[in-house]
Amino acid sequence: SENKRLKKIIDDYLVKSDEVIAKVLSDKKSPFLRSIIVNKGSKDKIKLGMVALDGEYLVGKIVEVNYASSRVLLLSDINSKIPVSVSPNDIQAIMSGDGNQNATLQYIQGIDFKNDIEDMMVTTSGAGGLFKSGILIGKINATENTESNNLNVDIFKDFTQLKYVKVISFSKEEKALDQTSKKELKTMDAQILEATKQKEIWW
């Protein structure tokens, strides 16, 4: 409940940038690199770290910007690592791409593998303040082996079918925060750093 309250504080003060609709130009196909090139770049106010969506679903993140084009690292890339929440129990984890179409949850905290995981949904957690919490990603694959401390995630979007993506960013409006909220955000950022300091997070 404390995590949910703090995440709500963050989301209440997130400022959403203007949306940029970009056309997918190519897909760099290799066993270890899953990325796409889109036809929008710095001239269209695209910046590193912006989020790429297909509808309301998370696709990836801008990792390279040129004047007229940009590269999006997809969620399925092995270098993609983002903090996520697994509902309905608000379980925190790090999601890593599997190099194909889906992903794996690692560093899972608070999950009971004996319970039914068939309907567990995976969304962004908002940790680190890179984008808002609650963006849809996928669901837990209940048919895979769950004896280890990793879980396989079926990503909702088929990246091979992408034609257009929506590129946006979320940032905190610091001026709108009162002193109490600023202190709580600082505390939460410290907790996130402590929880993830053993693993580099690219997102």
Side-chain angles (χ1 to χ4, degrees):
S1 60
E2 180 68 8
N3 284 339
K4 290 180 180 179
R5 185 179 70 84
L6 290 173
K7 284 192 293 184
K8 185 178 187 304
I9 290 174
I10 290 177
D11 286 347
D12 283 346
Y13 294 103
L14 283 176
V15 178
K16 182 180 177 181
S17 71
D18 293 334
E19 297 178 0
V20 178
I21 303 301
K23 183 178 181 179
V24 177
L25 298 178
S26 64
D27 180 9
K28 294 184 177 180
K29 297 182 182 296
S30 78
F32 304 106
L33 182 65
R34 290 288 179 262
S35 65
I36 55 174
I37 304 298
V38 296
N39 70 338
K40 301 292 183 179
S42 59
K43 69 181 180 65
D44 307 292
K45 299 182 179 180
I46 300 296
K47 298 179 181 179
L48 289 174
M50 295 183 77
V51 179
L53 303 173
D54 182 9
E56 299 304 315
Y57 299 96
L58 185 63
V59 170
K61 177 186 173 184
I62 299 292
V63 293
E64 182 181 318
V65 180
N66 300 306
Y67 181 70
S69 65
S70 302
R71 183 163 67 94
V72 178
L73 187 72
L74 298 173
L75 295 177
S76 57
D77 188 275
I78 60 173
N79 295 311
S80 169
K81 301 185 187 303
I82 62 171
V84 297
S85 292
V86 183
S87 60
N89 297 321
D90 197 32
I91 297 163
Q92 303 302 299
I94 302 298
M95 190 182 82
S96 302
D98 66 1
N100 293 302
Q101 168 63 26
N102 295 305
T104 301
L105 295 189
Q106 301 172 319
Y107 310 103
I108 305 166
Q109 300 178 6
I111 192 167
D112 182 359
F113 291 97
K114 295 181 181 179
N115 290 338
D116 187 3
I117 62 172
E118 184 174 357
D119 297 321
M120 286 188 173
M121 308 294 289
V122 180
T123 63
T124 57
S125 69
L130 294 173
F131 36 75
K132 67 179 293 183
S133 62
I135 303 176
L136 289 169
I137 295 175
K139 65 182 297 184
I140 299 299
N141 186 327
T143 63
E144 297 289 343
N145 187 355
T146 60
E147 293 302 321
S148 67
N149 200 36
N150 291 342
L151 287 176
N152 291 313
V153 179
D154 289 335
I155 296 174
F156 286 134
K157 301 308 298 186
D158 182 353
F159 299 139
T160 64
Q161 302 300 313
L162 292 176
K163 294 182 178 180
Y164 294 90
V165 294
K166 179 170 59 178
V167 183
I168 57 177
S169 66
F170 300 95
S171 61
K172 296 177 187 176
E173 182 56 70
E174 296 292 345
K175 294 181 180 179
L177 294 172
D178 57 29
Q179 291 300 316
T180 301
S181 296
K182 285 182 179 180
K183 184 177 179 181
E184 289 177 326
L185 285 176
K186 186 176 181 180
T187 300
M188 187 177 184
D189 285 341
Q191 293 172 344
I192 293 167
L193 179 62
E194 178 66 23
T196 60
K197 65 182 179 181
Q198 300 298 327
K199 182 73 177 180
E200 179 182 3
I201 299 177
W202 287 49
W203 292 65

